[in-house]
Each structure stands twice: as C-alpha cells, then as structure tokens.
Amino acid sequence: MNSLHGRTIVLGISGGIAAYKAVEVCRQLVDAGAHVAPIMTEDAHRFIGPVTVSALASEPVHTSLWDDASPIPHTRLGQNAEVIVVAPATARVIAAYAMGLSHDLLTATLIATRAPVVICPAMHTEMWEHPAVVSNIALLRSRGVIIVEPQSGRLAGGDLGTGRLADPASIVAAISSALSGSHRDLEGVRVLVTAGGTREPIDAVRVIANRSSGKQGYAIAEAAHMRGANVTIVSTVDRATLPGISIESVETAQQMMDAVNCYAPTSDVVIMTAAVADFRPVQVVTGKIKKHDGVPQITLEPTVDILGALGASKPSNQVLVGFAAETDNLLENAQGKLLRKNLDLIVANDVSADRVGFGHDTNEVTIVLASGESIHVPLADKHTIATAVLDSVSRVRTAHRPQ
Ligand code: CTP
C-alpha cells in the first residue's frame, strides 16, 4: 500500500529559509521506508547544517560536482532516482532548471534524470508572482514537472502572503503519487469534497457540534488537486489549503446540503468526508438562553441525509463516495450504508481504535467498493489514506468508462 517503501528518492534542498522544513520531508520519507539521497546547494548550507540532513537521510549529503567519491555524481544520482524532489526550490533553481542550465550538482542532476520531478517552490510573494517565475513554472509544468504550489502564510521577515513552502505532508503525498504513476490521472475531473463537522445552533451562542477536524477531507481535496482535478471543498472549518482549490464555507447540515446541491450535479466525483449532524434542535432560540431560566429542554429533529439524497439522484458516471465512522461491525455496517445510499465506494473507519479518525493526523480505513471488493489501508497519515481513496476512485472511473 505504501508507494514509498524501498524507493530511491533524490531530495534536493536549495538556499531558502524553508530549507529547515526539508528536514521533516526527509524524515517522513525515510520513516516510510524510502532510500533518500540528499543534495544541498552551496546556499542551502547557509540555512541548515549538512550534518542534520546526513544523519536523517539514507546517505551523506552531496553538494559538489567535483569532490564526491564518484567522478560523475550527477549522472549516478539522476539515473538511480525513481523521483527527484526539490524542496524548497528557489526562483534561481527553478529558472536554471527551466533553461536547462547545469551549473551545480542539483541542477545537473535534474537535467541528468528521466525520473519524475516534483518542484516545491518557496519564496517571497513578489518573487512568486514575478512574470519570469510565473512563466518558468508554466514551462516546467508543460514538460510534466509536478509543481507543489506554495501556500499563503507568514514568510521570512514577518511578511504575509503566498510563497510559503507547502506542508511537508503535502510534499510527501505528491512524491507518493508521482511514484504510484497516478500523478495526473484526474486531469480536468471535477471533484467535490465536503469536510469538517457541521454545527447546529441551539441559541445565539451555543451549537451541537462534533469532533471532526476536516483534516481527512482537506487531504483528499489536496491530493485530488495535485492529480489534476478541479476541486471544490464545502467546508465547516477554516484551514489553509493549496491555491487553486475553491472553498465554500458553511456551518449547518442544511447549508451544506444547499452548497452541495449547487455543485454536485456537475461534479464527476463527490466525496462526502464531512461529519454531518444527524439531528438538530427543532427551534433555535433567537437570543442567549439564560441560566436563571432553568435547564432548557431541547427537542431534536433529523437533519436531511445529504449523501442519501445524492445517491437517489446520482447522474450516470458520477462516482459517489461516502464515509462511515463505526465502532462495531465495521464491514457489515459500511456495506449496508453503501447499498442504502447507492454509493460507488465507502471508506469505513473504526473510530474507537487508537490514533484513528476524528482530530488525529493518522487514520486506518477499509475501502469497500460496490463490486464487493474491500481494501484495507493500515494506519497511515491522512495524505496516504487520501491517495488510497483516490486510487479507488480512479479505478471505478476507469471501470465506468465505455469500452
Ligand atoms: N451524511 C450525510 N448527511 C447526513 C449524515 C451523514 O451526507 N445527515 C454522510 C456523511 O458525510 C458520511 C455518511 O453519510 O459520508 C455517513 O453515513 P451515516 O449513515 O449517516 O453514518 P452515521 O452518521 O455514522 O450513521 P449511524 O449513526 O447510523 O452509524
């Protein structure tokens, strides 16, 4: 299941403040069983120590074209790599790679490979938006280079804007999909994902909520975006995500239903990751309920079953995905929901297990397909789970396609 295990990855680190995050990328890759060969540019040495990277990677840091034990290190590294990732990639490295310059070990290795390349830019907003950088990125993309776009947030020197290196987990997910050969299998596919838990108001200040963090929904949305999909998230949570993903913010089950109804009819794939409240107060008190009025009696009524309604009116060829949070009879309950709601697949997790489900960074799931097949994905970070879910979505889409 883990597409990183036993794979050879060249991790290029260029000279930007985000170089420290490359250490975390390296650690996650090695933890997943990959062989990581690190290359640091001369400038990267100004930001992090090579000893740290050498200690965490699978071989010592390479920097020079000339003082390596091997006489032609760039061809050895470039030919042996199954994927090359550059994180962070500065404007200079991006420009050199786009122009085919090979003035140092990193750029020479990039030119000397036939492996997929993942570029993770990090720079100030003014640089990221400069026409030269914009056109270099477009050129690299047109050659099939995978770009993991920077996020918005705090930059070096305290500035705010787009240019911050993507999350290490998103970078690892992009490497993983590049290795699984599925990196653009959702090109142009319209994907709708719901994320987070709904909140049903009781009065002006109180709500009925649940523990969903939205992490799994966002991981799926980001993985779909990186595989080329046009992604919309209908979300109850405020989380940073990749540029290019549209977000519709909602709070209640009814608002989620209204937003989903706008997008679902024209979506190729709908993934209901959200934890939607099953019940809501019949009446919402306009002001705040005061303590001195005594313990309130709150009468609940069922909310609309969004996924059930989607299943009942599913356009042909749409892939509909549900989630099932269970504590008992996982497979049996999930299969029941799949049939009742007319789904193509359902992702079931045992939320009573350790480090699984709501709020955690990890999950362990069983993907049950309408064909009866089920795929168990052992405990992994939510980006790895997202890759497995999208691999199944992709398979169902291929099976739907007329021969
Ligand atoms: N869902 C929905 N609308 C609701 C409730 C749930 O669309 N009002 C979706 C969730 O997004 C999820 C799936 O349905 O994809 C979960 O199915 P459901 O049968 O509602 O699961 P539970 O709420 O866990 O049901 P139960 O309490 O019966 O286990």
Side-chain angles (χ1 to χ4, degrees), residues 52-66:
T52 309
V53 179
S54 294
L56 289 169
S58 317
E59 49 186 276
V61 162
H62 308 270
T63 292
S64 169
L65 273 164
W66 310 112

Side-chain angles (χ1 to χ4, degrees), residues 215-278:
K215 286 177 186 168
Q216 186 64 78
Y218 275 65
I220 291 174
E222 290 170 6
H225 172 76
M226 287 188 291
R227 287 161 82 148
N230 298 327
V231 181
T232 300
I233 312 180
V234 174
S235 172
T236 65
V237 292
D238 184 18
R239 293 182 71 86
T241 191
L242 299 175
I245 294 182
S246 318
I247 307 226
E248 281 281 327
S249 296
V250 296
E251 186 172 1
T252 64
Q254 186 58 49
Q255 289 166 359
M256 183 168 277
M257 173 80 170
D258 294 342
V260 163
N261 278 344
C262 285
Y263 296 99
T266 53
S267 295
D268 303 302
V269 178
V270 180
I271 306 179
M272 280 293 302
T273 321
V276 186
D278 288 323

Side-chain angles (χ1 to χ4, degrees), residues 1 38 48-49 60 72 119 140 176 243 256 265 271 276 301 303 342 354 356 389 393 398:
M1 205 62 248
I48 49 168
I72 39 172
I119 294 285
L140 291 178
S176 174
M256 183 168 277
I271 306 179
V276 186
E301 64 182 359
T303 56
N342 189 27
D354 258 5
V356 168
V389 171
V393 166
T398 311

